[in-house]
Amino acid sequence: MKLKLGEPVPPQPVMADFHSLPAPVVSTRLKEAFEAAALHGVQLVPADVQVGDSVLRYWLLHMWRRLACMDRVRSRFEFDEDGDLLLSLDKLFLDEAVLGEVPLEERLAFRLAESVVHVFHRTVVERVLALSPPPEGLRFIPVAEWGDSSAFR
């Protein structure tokens, strides 16, 4: 996959360990941490990023494992009239009964089936955050704290 920085390109772009497209794009050291966690349902696709005269190797984190595990009673959300498309997700709760039916090794990382939300088990988060130096440009938000304004905190 070939990626490029969008306009306007800063004179000295900072290439962090994490960048966001609709799918996460991660550095090689994050890729190695994710590979060490043996994440079922995750594919790491090589992504070359043109930065000036250089090409840097990054990895698109494609989560093909999707779980329909949003707790529809406790979460705050809005679907379209047909109930097919999630229009907004203001507060997220996961359905523990659904998650309990999936073996832990198959839900260490997944994408919600209902929305473009990437979920990582705390053991994966701890592995990534233990890197030295700490990863740049990346943060994990616990599900209990996740909300529609999380991206702005």
Side-chain angles (χ1 to χ4, degrees), residues 40-41 64-70 94-111 121:
H40 174 79
W64 54 265
R65 174 68 159 166
R66 296 190 179 154
L67 295 176
C69 62
M70 183 179 83
L94 300 179
D95 186 328
E96 293 178 21
V98 172
L99 291 175
E101 294 176 7
V102 180
L104 176 61
E105 61 273 6
E106 293 182 20
R107 58 180 165 88
L108 292 175
F110 62 91
R111 194 178 123 184
H121 191 269

Side-chain angles (χ1 to χ4, degrees), residues 36-146:
L39 303 177
H40 174 79
V42 174
Q43 179 183 16
L44 290 148
V45 180
D48 291 332
V49 182
Q50 181 77 42
V51 181
D53 295 332
S54 301
V55 175
L56 303 176
R57 172 59 51 102
Y58 274 79
W59 301 85
L60 181 94
L61 192 69
H62 172 60
M63 290 186 171
W64 54 265
R65 174 68 159 166
R66 296 190 179 154
L67 295 176
C69 62
M70 183 179 83
D71 185 325
R72 293 181 180 229
V73 173
R74 297 187 303 157
S75 297
R76 287 194 321 257
F77 60 92
E78 179 183 354
F79 272 97
D80 67 355
E81 291 178 5
D82 299 329
D84 297 331
L85 178 67
L86 186 70
L87 300 175
S88 68
L89 179 57
D90 300 326
K91 184 68 178 160
L92 175 63
F93 287 90
L94 300 179
D95 186 328
E96 293 178 21
V98 172
L99 291 175
E101 294 176 7
V102 180
L104 176 61
E105 61 273 6
E106 293 182 20
R107 58 180 165 88
L108 292 175
F110 62 91
R111 194 178 123 184
L112 284 182
E114 297 89 351
S115 180
V116 184
V117 174
H118 299 87
V119 180
F120 295 90
H121 191 269
R122 74 174 173 272
T123 58
V124 176
V125 171
E126 290 166 359
R127 176 185 296 273
V128 169
L129 295 180
L131 292 173
S132 183
E136 293 183 32
L138 172 72
R139 70 185 168 131
F140 295 98
I141 301 164
V143 172
E145 297 173 20
W146 191 91

Side-chain angles (χ1 to χ4, degrees), residues 23-44:
V25 177
V26 299
S27 66
T28 297
R29 70 191 199 115
L30 287 184
K31 170 205 174 258
E32 291 168 355
F34 288 135
E35 283 180 330
L39 303 177
H40 174 79
V42 174
Q43 179 183 16
L44 290 148

